[in-house]
Amino acid sequence: MIRLDCPYCGLRDHEEFSYIGDATKRRPAHGGEASAEEWFDYVYIRDNPRGPHQEIWQHIQGCRAFIRVLRNTLTHEVTATGLPRDDLSGKAGVGS
Amino acid sequence: MRSPRSLIPSVLLPRRAEQPYRLEEGGAINRLAPLPFTFDGTSYNGYQGDTLASALLANGVRLVARSFKYHRPRGIYSAGPEEPNALVELRSGGRHEPNTRATTIELFAGLEAKSQNRWPDLTLDVMQVNALLSPVFVAGFYYKTFMGLPGWRFYEHFIRKAAGMGIGTTLADPDSYDKMHAHCDVLVVGGGPAGIAAALAAGRSGARVTLLEESDALGGRLRSDRETLGGAPAMAWVRSAEEELDSLANVTVMTRTMGFGYYDGNVIAAVERVSDHLATPPAFAVRQRLWHFRTKRVVLATGATERPLVFANNDRPGVMLASAARSYVNRFAVQPGKRAVVFANNDDGYATALDLSRAGIAVHALVDSRPGGNPDLQVRAEAAGIECLTGSAVIGTRGYLALHSVDIAPISADGRSVTGNAFNLSCDLLAVSGGWSPNVHLHSHSGARPVYDPAIAGFVPGTPRQAERSAGAAAGSFALADCLRDGAAAGAEAAGLLGFDAKPIEAPVTELRGAKPLVALWQVPGSGKKFVDLQDDVTAGDVELAHREGYISVEHLKRYTTLGMGTDQGKTSNINGHAIMAEARGEPIEAVGTTTFRPPYNPVSFGPLGGRDIGRHFAPTRRSAMHDWHAENGAVFVEAGQWLRPQYYLRDGEENVKSDFDRAITREVTGTRAGVGMVDVSTLGKIDVQGKDAAEFLNRLYINGWKTLAVGRARYGIMLRDDGLVFDDGTTSRIGENHYFMTTTTANAGAVMSHMEEYLQIHWPELDVKIVSVTEQWAAMALAGPKSREVLAAAVEGLDVSNEALPFMGVRETTIAGAFARVFRISFSGELAYEINVPADYGRLVWERLMEAGAAHGIIPYGTEAMAIMRIEKGHVAGGELDGRTTADDLGLARMASSRKDYIGRHMMGREGLTDAARPKFVGLVPVDGKTRARAGSILVADPSTPPPVPKLGHVSSSAYLSPTLGHPISLGLVEGGMARAGETVWAMYPLRDEAVEVRIVDPVFYDKEGERLHA
Amino acid sequence: MAEYSALSLLRHALTGHRDWRRAWRDPEPRKSYDVIIVGGGGHGLASAFYLAKNHNVGRIAVLEKGYLGGGNTGRNTTIVRSNYMLEENAHFYEKSLQLWEQLSQELNFNVMFSQRGVTNLAHSDAQMDAFARRGNAMRLNGIDAELLDRKQVRREMPYLDFSENARFPIYGGLKQPRGGTARHDAVAWGLARGADRLGVDIIQNCEVTGFKLEGNRITAVETSRGDIGCGKVGFAVAGHTGHLAARLGMKLPIESHVLQAFVSEPLKPLIDTVVTFGAGHFYVSQSDKGGLVFGGDIDMYNSYAQRGNTPMIEHVFSAGLAMIPSLSRLRVLRHWGGIMDMSMDGSPIIGKSPIDNLYLNCGWCYGGFKATPGSGWVFAYTIANDAPHELNAGLNLERFRRGYLVDERGAGPYPNRH
Amino acid sequence: MPDSATPMPLRRSALAGALRPGDHGARDYRGPGLIIAERHPLSMVQIEVRPDGVQAMLDAAADALGLRPPESFNTSVGNGLPRILWTGPNRWLVVEPESRDLVAMLRDALAPTNAAVVNLGHARVSLRLSGREVRRVLMKAGPLDWHETAFTPDKCAQTALFHVSALIDCREESTFDVYVARGYAVSFLESVEQAAAEYGYRVG
Ligand SMILES: Cc1cc2nc3c(=O)[nH]c(=O)nc-3n(C[C@H](O)[C@H](O)[C@H](O)COP(=O)(O)OP(=O)(O)OC[C@H]3O[C@@H](n4cnc5c(N)ncnc54)[C@H](O)[C@@H]3O)c2cc1C
Ligand SMILES: NC(=O)c1ccc[n+]([C@@H]2O[C@H](COP(=O)([O-])OP(=O)(O)OC[C@H]3O[C@@H](n4cnc5c(N)ncnc54)[C@H](O)[C@@H]3O)[C@@H](O)[C@H]2O)c1
Ligand SMILES: Cc1cc2nc3c(=O)[nH]c(=O)nc-3n(C[C@H](O)[C@H](O)[C@H](O)COP(=O)(O)O)c2cc1C
Ligand SMILES: [Zn+2]
């Protein structure tokens, strides 16, 4: 069971969360004139790294907040959690 | 508690009371509680404290199984979960359990066990012929043959019959299971000396400690070895330690609980065998329980497993592990034989020989493969009259159904060759020890990799990957004193790391023995079948064959020969097999490596993993506020996700059979269209949306515009995903200045809520919008039909429901039966209709009030079937059309899209693939013959006679076997060209039923195209 | 090399099987190859086999970082079927199924392809309609399919839960009689032996770590055993495609997720077909060794670990017991995981890449074992002709940008929902 | 909603007919291990504000309710008249036995703070679980640390109990108020009863 530290609810099973995915993807601004290529990149393209990965989870069974998690995709070790806009890069732990 | 005897059917009452191999005294058994049991139909007696294995041995039963492939006679080989041979079918009927290890079954009165994988019985098992064919049935032989006619399916039939072991029942299990979630600071796995010491050290510091022990009691090897601690028998120390642990409120000791898997987040899963030691679980008790331990630190004190020596015919009944032989004499007071030979490459042999002779077993020889053996211990053995043969080995055994003698010869120092003449020594017990392998299973589960330690010729824990440390034999330290010290240190360290002040405990002094290291002996010279994996009949020869054929990686070796793939997962065999491969490759074992241990540590029943989430409770059930009314009024319910919804209502005298429910559905449609009907729509998703930017938010969510919607008005909307495909639809009403009430489809209620939360929390946090799901707050009912206004008028309190006052798409608040009600004049059925929302606790009250008010107009409740037919008649899209693959344009809804704003999906919906003219588009379909239904799921094609592959024009997405309104079947579908082909005919193909229906493409709105009824 | 047959088996028995030769050679990598296939799973080996067999390409190497078949090929629940609805998938998977039907003979290696039938259970009218649409499309494509009603399902699988107690009653099912299972390891070994006999160099313990580029061409692959020159390169690395492509600065519409599988203790024949639950995630068949082999859904989070976690494990067992209550006292023997290459529409990507001489074979999700021979067959064609075969033309990389998605489930661009 | 002046019709609980008063399951000389009681009818109102409006809202709420909503996450305050629970960032739930038009009252009181005030009074059922084995029953139900040193009075939390989203509020060492969505009420009660059967339970 991966254990995620919700900034509001504390350490909880990942089963309480729903996985949203890569947190580094920024949605092109609403009303902006982003190119088709930018939209394609946002919707379809993923770095899919083997190692530290910043990702978004929603605490769906808890406070319903979306949180950002830095997790190693190779070891499943979670080294940092924060709010969606926090930048967690650099907080990668031993596992990476 | 019922007395054991009262449980026993008279047929089981003991016929042969005496247990010829039971010692007069000693052992941790209760001689006052004899327990009758049967094996292969014969009745025996054992004692409380026995395992099935010890009880069988006490009764002189040595042949208990047949091997997997060659059906060789096999006996009891171990005294623990590592048992490769003695697998039996336990219990009967719905409680039948195949492949159960006799060595871990706690004996209970009336126990029934049968041998397996033999026919007709153990002694004359006809499949023994396989043994004759064994020269052909080598590893992987089946990959090289059975390829020709009549084909694999033919051969497979026989192979499968021969393979497998126990027989699985098809009867339902009468017992129940559940789950527990626990948290602790320190979890200690294993209740031997190391684990006990760890629990004491951590427990005394005040940390929350749990100690898990798989077997029925603490003690580990101490239950079986004649160790002393502080001058007294070691078990006395165990008992006092147990008392102290019980006295500590912060410590929990759980026996009969196996930690079977070490998962991420330092979570250990365990199974508690709550009632397996009883004939049946007591009332309200479960059979087994799954535990999740969320831990801060883990101490793995799981001990070590002794391994066999690999020599010719090392599998006969009577050959067993030395540690097992000691368990049987010391713990169970059973003689596993009368005349023994002990064969070891380490000091264990001496302790074993002494224990056996102390138990009155004639030890004919102690064979120590080490040149020179261990002189100190040899002195003691010889003092006890035991002849010690060092630098020698057992190179073969004799006997068939049971061992009757062994061949012994001197071997070279490197153990590779026989250096002198063999001689034969009679015996019925051969105790072997090839050294010990630490139980690194959970350590491996946690993601860590064990490393090879030549000192013990075994794999020991590597660098921990999680908050874990191994201790005692599990860490490769085998001397009792070391185990205690190591365990205590590990426990103290774990608590210390968590900020508890833990002091190391003083370990009691142990009896010191001049220990001498083992000398690895992986394969004993000599010819004959040398079994490495007893369960899967993998021999040293098979390992060498795998090497010859290039399956030289330990992983290929495993898969090609099935080494270590049996129910024991190679606990006794892996290391020997890998070492023999290493020798063949001429590489060191560390270079060859080992395979991965995966959960579970020992096999786990499915039951506890399912817990109570099975059968009716596989998923929770969701009911509307009017559920009971529906049930009382003949509703037949259907699952809609987790909801139960009325599908149709049967009347007295009607059965739930097609003819009757077709009548009911037609009745509900015509009743509604002609007069008035009411349907429960509480399951629709409902979301309360508030905030200064609410309108802006809706404008971004939906493809159509929302800025102009006035308070008191509702509007239909379509949502896309960012990829430009349709996500969901529904109506949203403006109920206040900055206050909206949104509805979603039943299926997408949860998804839409999360979708909106994601945009608000992540993409557009600047918007002042607050949303909350109010699906459960409101009971919702749709009142539909030309008479609906009269009914509503009669029910509402002081609200003008005239067309002027409450026009189509109008929203008003009122009370009905005194309850607050929100009335939406919207329609799914195509009739004049109102959706009425009331606080759920008033749902039934208001429903009944409306029914009462409608009685005069012959109001009829209708279910999902009638609702579906009416929406098809009206050409509304629903699940069949909103399948995640359609665009707004495919569904004829593109005109709704606003060109003057940005919205989710806008930027990708224009991609060529989504605007391709060839895309099927939404249409209505009617049978040309006016009577044959084109079923949902039919494929639309131009010419029914085209041979496959047939070009496809589209498909039928929804269909009504009969539109009571139009008097013929109708369907909705998507077809290439869409309405541009109106009037043309195509064929709806349903080859699964050999149906082909010619259908005409028509407007999807079959009913009241101008919407007069809606606006009436 | 010696043919495998009952006779040769008997002959070798007389000599104690001392004369069997290696199933495939263990060559040192050469300086360069015409085609290098990265990945020694079923797809990579099949690609090499068909390149040599159908397109007589000269020097071919398969580079495998670990042991052959140690990836998803060696971890999967071995279900083989071609019951797809969408054109792009249907014809491709049917071709693959046809190749399966002759694979043992073609390889002279028994891959134990057992056509025991595959049935997907339906638990609502809507699900029956969806299955009907798929089954009708299959039949119109000339692929076998049968729609079973509740009674027929009960006749074939009486052990399913037909009691009042079932939370989601069984309405019926869609059956493909020609579907079934195969022995996963044998597939890898048979293909390796077959390719080896055609001169393909199969090089294990050789990890590709980087690439040498000239312009838009790969001139050599860097490996743990040194650089190896290449004419063309094909990726068949499944879950590892993402980070391998990253070495070329290429990003893909793929996420790697862990999917778990389970095996029970060995039993005498109990379940003689393949059946999947429709109200939860569970599918089961019985291996020739007697173990029930079963699985469920992916764990939902990106992962390169070959281990899963308890939530999906528990779901699998409750779903399994909801479907077949009598499994309750059987025991699970082992469970493990594999790394799924989940694509953004749930269908594979097999064709050309933005790099001139690089070809992609990935995005197989939970369904690529059944594709093994077909994938190798079309991938070999694509590499040899530098153009896709019509069978894989629709499964190209460009479809995501252009909007020609192949989304069987309609789940959208969320890899963990396919 | 009509204000308290107009008499409200009788509310029908989602558990009407499902609660079987009396003792069930195993018998224990110490009496039933779990006591199950429904709390009904309740007023439940959710308050949500923008981050910038929190303090103003807390002040206004304190005035209106005579009780300041808790600022620390996953805690609850009050003797029940009313009880206020933190349920998420900038989000609270006010609960009291139904006696007045709480929604209207709060809407007026909080209007200046731009808070969203939503009536959830019928959206959830609330069970009071108490007794000797209540924490063991909760251990069967959900993944939180139910230990008396960890889940103490005036702590509240949200998680899934028996796979149903639930809000749990610890009132006393052996007393918990549990809230689940109304539609799941009966199914949830069945699960609680199954889990409690081995300890014996009383429906009061
Ligand atoms: C649990 C599970 C159940 C499944 N069930 C089914 C099923 O029932 N039916 C079905 O059809 N499909 C199923 N699948 C999917 C199927 O197993 C895969 O799609 C298929 O086996 C992929 O084969 P492959 O050859 O492409 O990949 P793999 O077999 O994974 O081979 C890829 C190989 O590439 C190697 N590699 C990776 N990186 C490098 C590198 N840098 N250098 C060299 N070598 C490298 C890997 O070591 C690996 O051996 C399942 C998968 C899993 C995990
Ligand atoms: N003579 C030798 O060479 C030799 C070798 C090894 C061990 N020993 C003796 O064995 C003892 C070792 O002490 P120890 O405490 O390290 O090991 P142990 O074998 O005494 O105790 C381990 C205990 O852990 C339990 N266990 C194992 N896996 C478990 C799991 N997953 N879940 C729950 N319980 C589990 C076992 O049932 C066992 O009771 C010492 O007395 C030592 O002298 C002697
Ligand atoms: C179809 C299939 C059947 C399997 N049957 C068994 C089995 O009978 N016994 C066993 O120990 N493992 C069995 N395994 C699992 C393997 O032992 C192993 O766990 C799997 O190949 C993954 O490799 P790994 O665990 O070494 O990572 C089976 C695997 C598959 C794919
Ligand atoms: Zn939270």
Side-chain angles (χ1 to χ4, degrees), chain B residues 17 31 74 154 251 323 365 434 468 595 648 663 694 846 862 867 907 924 976:
Chain B
R31 295 168 195 264
R74 294 285 169 82
F154 169 82
V251 177
S323 56
E468 156 265 325
T595 51
Y648 39 78
R663 182 175 337 111
V846 170
Y862 64 93
M867 185 178 73
H907 298 270
E976 230 174 273

Side-chain angles (χ1 to χ4, degrees), chain B residues 189-195 212-215 219-222 225 227 257-259 301-304 326 348 436 439 442 471-474 478-480 483 601:
Chain B
V189 186
L212 305 184
E213 168 52 46
E214 176 178 20
S215 67
R221 281 300 308 164
L222 296 182
D225 288 343
E227 297 271 7
T257 307
M258 169 185 56
T302 50
R326 295 205 301 280
D348 251 24
W436 292 74
N439 295 333
L442 277 87
F478 295 152
L480 178 51
C483 293
Y601 166 62

Side-chain angles (χ1 to χ4, degrees), chain A residues 32 60 84:
Chain A
I60 195 108

Side-chain angles (χ1 to χ4, degrees), chain B residues 135 264 616 885 911 952, chain C residues 17 141 164 307 400 404 408:
Chain B
D264 292 323
R616 196 160 277 316
R885 278 182 294 264
R911 286 178 290 166
K952 304 168 193 62
Chain C
H17 299 276
N141 285 330
E164 279 304 298
R307 328 188 309 274
F400 298 95
Y404 286 98
E408 292 271 339

